[in-house]
Amino acid sequence: MRRREAPRRRFGDAAHRSSGRLRRRERLTVIANDAVGPYSLIRVERGGLEPGRPGQFFMLEAPGRPLPRAMSLCQAPAGQLTFLLEAVGPGTRALAAVQPGEEIQVFGPLGNGFRLQVERPLLVGGGIGVAPLPYLSQQLGGPPAILGFRSEWHAEAAALVPNAQVVVEPTLVTELLTEGHDVLACGPEPMLEAVRELAPRAQLAWEAPMACGYGACYGCSVEIEGVLQRLCVAGPVLEAA
């Protein structure tokens, strides 16, 4: 985490929190690894894992690396789980290189997802923050979405989310936001802060480095309402109280 004044993240109703009963750890076979612009869409057999709630995450083994990587579930077709990732470091590069037929260990679902009981949902995503939105969109019946990317190449990932308006830098997703919607967003921290300024009651999926995914290591501790909280337990989806 960057050393600066932490944003005032808020968390509210715990009714949408995950149940530990669903957590499982299995070795799953990779079905496909497809390029979506600069991103990798990895499909694995579901095995005995449940997809959980949109916005929850799974810990995926990064072959050859000592620690797994936290990945939001992207899609949940019958018998499969899919994960969209960007190769930005050793762990994600190792995951992006997996081939069909290989096995990786997957643990989840973990954390707290989006609250789905909303009247006028509007999905907002930025960059790789689009990852949990296809599954979220499917669960909400295909609501409108606003997606922002740094280039047209990155914007190829918008094809995964129906009913989406797409903007490319320097245009920002906040330029398209209008009042009267229940905003559910995922993206880089500056985008989430800007969205919260315009939609104070938005549900926001935050990111932090995670080593375990269930609160044992305290590696993802962030300041929430002036108190250090483990984002993997209190989040990753937070909303106004």
Side-chain angles (χ1 to χ4, degrees):
M1 297 290 290
R2 293 184 296 275
R3 290 195 177 278
R4 60 178 182 79
E5 184 178 357
R8 293 184 67 251
R9 301 178 176 93
R10 298 175 61 87
F11 60 100
D13 192 347
H16 63 297
R17 297 193 172 185
S18 62
S19 168
R21 295 194 304 268
L22 298 178
R23 297 175 183 170
R24 293 175 62 97
R25 191 188 307 268
E26 292 192 14
R27 295 198 65 82
L28 302 177
T29 301
V30 176
I31 300 171
N33 184 348
D34 300 316
V36 182
Y39 308 120
S40 296
L41 183 66
I42 298 173
R43 301 179 182 274
V44 299
E45 293 180 348
R46 184 179 297 187
L49 299 186
E50 296 292 334
R53 184 184 294 273
Q56 289 186 278
F57 65 95
F58 291 75
M59 300 300 291
L60 274 61
E61 174 190 2
R65 306 302 302 177
L67 295 175
R69 295 298 186 270
M71 297 289 160
S72 299
L73 181 66
C74 183
Q75 298 166 318
Q80 299 181 23
L81 302 173
T82 79
F83 303 91
L84 186 72
L85 62 95
E86 183 175 16
V88 294
T92 48
R93 285 196 295 268
L95 272 169
V98 298
Q99 297 298 313
E102 294 183 33
E103 291 185 346
I104 59 173
Q105 185 168 263
V106 181
F107 177 42
L110 300 163
N112 300 314
F114 289 100
R115 178 174 51 82
L116 304 181
Q117 292 71 36
V118 292
E119 294 183 1
R120 296 191 63 197
L122 174 65
L123 313 188
V124 179
I128 193 59
V130 73
L133 301 189
Y135 182 37
L136 178 61
S137 178
Q138 185 265 324
Q139 291 292 295
L140 289 174
I146 304 171
L147 309 177
F149 299 92
R150 72 188 82 163
S151 72
E152 295 288 350
W153 186 36
H154 291 81
E156 291 182 25
L160 299 171
V161 184
N163 300 324
Q165 290 181 275
V166 179
V167 297
V168 176
E169 291 184 1
T171 305
L172 305 177
V173 293
T174 48
E175 296 179 37
L176 277 67
L177 274 181
T178 57
E179 296 181 356
H181 291 278
D182 299 298
V183 176
L184 305 91
C186 183
E189 188 172 296
M191 186 205 85
L192 295 183
E193 289 287 357
V195 168
R196 186 171 60 179
E197 287 294 320
L198 297 174
R201 301 198 65 82
Q203 298 182 56
L204 307 177
W206 298 88
E207 293 184 357
M210 295 184 186
C212 70
Y214 52 88
C217 71
Y218 286 76
C220 64
S221 295
V222 296
E223 186 176 334
I224 303 174
E225 294 293 287
V227 178
L228 284 178
Q229 299 274 357
R230 295 162 293 174
L231 190 63
C232 67
V233 176
V237 178
L238 306 175
E239 62 179 313

mmCIF file of all heavy atoms in Angstrom, residues 124-141:
data_model
loop_
_atom_site.group_PDB
_atom_site.id
_atom_site.type_symbol
_atom_site.label_atom_id
_atom_site.label_comp_id
_atom_site.label_asym_id
_atom_site.label_seq_id
_atom_site.Cartn_x
_atom_site.Cartn_y
_atom_site.Cartn_z
ATOM 1 N N VAL A 124 -19.979 0.234 -12.595
ATOM 2 C CA VAL A 124 -18.911 1.133 -13.013
ATOM 3 C C VAL A 124 -17.587 0.407 -12.824
ATOM 4 O O VAL A 124 -17.311 -0.117 -11.736
ATOM 5 C CB VAL A 124 -18.921 2.444 -12.199
ATOM 6 C CG1 VAL A 124 -17.782 3.350 -12.656
ATOM 7 C CG2 VAL A 124 -20.266 3.151 -12.344
ATOM 8 N N GLY A 125 -16.783 0.355 -13.886
ATOM 9 C CA GLY A 125 -15.513 -0.345 -13.799
ATOM 10 C C GLY A 125 -14.401 0.418 -14.473
ATOM 11 O O GLY A 125 -14.631 1.162 -15.429
ATOM 12 N N GLY A 126 -13.188 0.213 -13.965
ATOM 13 C CA GLY A 126 -12.024 0.843 -14.557
ATOM 14 C C GLY A 126 -10.892 -0.154 -14.727
ATOM 15 O O GLY A 126 -10.506 -0.825 -13.763
ATOM 16 N N GLY A 127 -10.393 -0.313 -15.951
ATOM 17 C CA GLY A 127 -9.280 -1.210 -16.204
ATOM 18 C C GLY A 127 -9.585 -2.631 -15.797
ATOM 19 O O GLY A 127 -10.684 -3.145 -16.053
ATOM 20 N N ILE A 128 -8.619 -3.278 -15.117
ATOM 21 C CA ILE A 128 -8.823 -4.662 -14.694
ATOM 22 C C ILE A 128 -9.922 -4.765 -13.639
ATOM 23 O O ILE A 128 -10.404 -5.856 -13.327
ATOM 24 C CB ILE A 128 -7.498 -5.270 -14.182
ATOM 25 C CG1 ILE A 128 -7.598 -6.791 -14.025
ATOM 26 C CG2 ILE A 128 -7.083 -4.601 -12.883
ATOM 27 C CD1 ILE A 128 -7.945 -7.529 -15.300
ATOM 28 N N GLY A 129 -10.377 -3.618 -13.117
ATOM 29 C CA GLY A 129 -11.523 -3.607 -12.221
ATOM 30 C C GLY A 129 -12.801 -4.091 -12.879
ATOM 31 O O GLY A 129 -13.804 -4.312 -12.204
ATOM 32 N N VAL A 130 -12.777 -4.289 -14.191
ATOM 33 C CA VAL A 130 -13.922 -4.860 -14.882
ATOM 34 C C VAL A 130 -14.102 -6.329 -14.520
ATOM 35 O O VAL A 130 -15.176 -6.899 -14.750
ATOM 36 C CB VAL A 130 -13.762 -4.699 -16.413
ATOM 37 C CG1 VAL A 130 -12.702 -5.644 -16.957
ATOM 38 C CG2 VAL A 130 -15.083 -4.918 -17.143
ATOM 39 N N ALA A 131 -13.082 -6.954 -13.929
ATOM 40 C CA ALA A 131 -13.077 -8.405 -13.724
ATOM 41 C C ALA A 131 -14.332 -8.973 -13.054
ATOM 42 O O ALA A 131 -14.890 -9.964 -13.528
ATOM 43 C CB ALA A 131 -11.826 -8.819 -12.955
ATOM 44 N N PRO A 132 -14.844 -8.416 -11.938
ATOM 45 C CA PRO A 132 -16.024 -9.021 -11.314
ATOM 46 C C PRO A 132 -17.353 -8.620 -11.945
ATOM 47 O O PRO A 132 -18.402 -9.139 -11.549
ATOM 48 C CB PRO A 132 -15.950 -8.504 -9.875
ATOM 49 C CG PRO A 132 -15.293 -7.173 -10.006
ATOM 50 C CD PRO A 132 -14.294 -7.319 -11.120
ATOM 51 N N LEU A 133 -17.324 -7.712 -12.922
ATOM 52 C CA LEU A 133 -18.589 -7.160 -13.426
ATOM 53 C C LEU A 133 -19.370 -8.094 -14.348
ATOM 54 O O LEU A 133 -20.606 -8.021 -14.356
ATOM 55 C CB LEU A 133 -18.332 -5.819 -14.115
ATOM 56 C CG LEU A 133 -17.697 -4.738 -13.230
ATOM 57 C CD1 LEU A 133 -17.703 -3.396 -13.953
ATOM 58 C CD2 LEU A 133 -18.406 -4.626 -11.879
ATOM 59 N N PRO A 134 -18.748 -8.977 -15.138
ATOM 60 C CA PRO A 134 -19.570 -9.897 -15.930
ATOM 61 C C PRO A 134 -20.475 -10.777 -15.071
ATOM 62 O O PRO A 134 -21.668 -10.946 -15.372
ATOM 63 C CB PRO A 134 -18.527 -10.717 -16.696
ATOM 64 C CG PRO A 134 -17.375 -9.793 -16.842
ATOM 65 C CD PRO A 134 -17.334 -9.049 -15.541
ATOM 66 N N TYR A 135 -19.945 -11.343 -14.005
ATOM 67 C CA TYR A 135 -20.754 -12.180 -13.110
ATOM 68 C C TYR A 135 -21.785 -11.332 -12.384
ATOM 69 O O TYR A 135 -22.956 -11.732 -12.237
ATOM 70 C CB TYR A 135 -19.830 -12.888 -12.122
ATOM 71 C CG TYR A 135 -20.507 -13.839 -11.163
ATOM 72 C CD1 TYR A 135 -21.581 -14.630 -11.553
ATOM 73 C CD2 TYR A 135 -20.061 -13.955 -9.849
ATOM 74 C CE1 TYR A 135 -22.192 -15.511 -10.669
ATOM 75 C CE2 TYR A 135 -20.664 -14.830 -8.954
ATOM 76 C CZ TYR A 135 -21.728 -15.607 -9.364
ATOM 77 O OH TYR A 135 -22.333 -16.472 -8.478
ATOM 78 N N LEU A 136 -21.387 -10.147 -11.947
ATOM 79 C CA LEU A 136 -22.326 -9.242 -11.290
ATOM 80 C C LEU A 136 -23.454 -8.866 -12.233
ATOM 81 O O LEU A 136 -24.636 -8.852 -11.849
ATOM 82 C CB LEU A 136 -21.585 -8.000 -10.805
ATOM 83 C CG LEU A 136 -22.419 -6.906 -10.135
ATOM 84 C CD1 LEU A 136 -23.118 -7.417 -8.891
ATOM 85 C CD2 LEU A 136 -21.539 -5.704 -9.790
ATOM 86 N N SER A 137 -23.128 -8.552 -13.473
ATOM 87 C CA SER A 137 -24.139 -8.191 -14.459
ATOM 88 C C SER A 137 -25.120 -9.331 -14.673
ATOM 89 O O SER A 137 -26.342 -9.131 -14.736
ATOM 90 C CB SER A 137 -23.470 -7.811 -15.781
ATOM 91 O OG SER A 137 -24.442 -7.504 -16.761
ATOM 92 N N GLN A 138 -24.600 -10.532 -14.773
ATOM 93 C CA GLN A 138 -25.464 -11.698 -14.985
ATOM 94 C C GLN A 138 -26.428 -11.886 -13.819
ATOM 95 O O GLN A 138 -27.618 -12.167 -14.010
ATOM 96 C CB GLN A 138 -24.597 -12.944 -15.180
ATOM 97 C CG GLN A 138 -25.375 -14.208 -15.531
ATOM 98 C CD GLN A 138 -25.695 -15.046 -14.316
ATOM 99 O OE1 GLN A 138 -24.903 -15.129 -13.382
ATOM 100 N NE2 GLN A 138 -26.859 -15.678 -14.320
ATOM 101 N N GLN A 139 -25.930 -11.709 -12.597
ATOM 102 C CA GLN A 139 -26.774 -11.884 -11.423
ATOM 103 C C GLN A 139 -27.826 -10.792 -11.296
ATOM 104 O O GLN A 139 -28.891 -11.011 -10.705
ATOM 105 C CB GLN A 139 -25.899 -11.914 -10.165
ATOM 106 C CG GLN A 139 -25.015 -13.140 -10.044
ATOM 107 C CD GLN A 139 -25.816 -14.398 -9.802
ATOM 108 O OE1 GLN A 139 -26.468 -14.541 -8.769
ATOM 109 N NE2 GLN A 139 -25.792 -15.318 -10.754
ATOM 110 N N LEU A 140 -27.561 -9.621 -11.865
ATOM 111 C CA LEU A 140 -28.501 -8.497 -11.768
ATOM 112 C C LEU A 140 -29.363 -8.343 -13.018
ATOM 113 O O LEU A 140 -30.133 -7.396 -13.128
ATOM 114 C CB LEU A 140 -27.734 -7.197 -11.511
ATOM 115 C CG LEU A 140 -27.104 -7.060 -10.113
ATOM 116 C CD1 LEU A 140 -26.252 -5.799 -10.038
ATOM 117 C CD2 LEU A 140 -28.181 -7.037 -9.028
ATOM 118 N N GLY A 141 -29.222 -9.256 -13.968
ATOM 119 C CA GLY A 141 -30.077 -9.208 -15.150
ATOM 120 C C GLY A 141 -29.623 -8.265 -16.235
ATOM 121 O O GLY A 141 -30.437 -7.801 -17.042
#
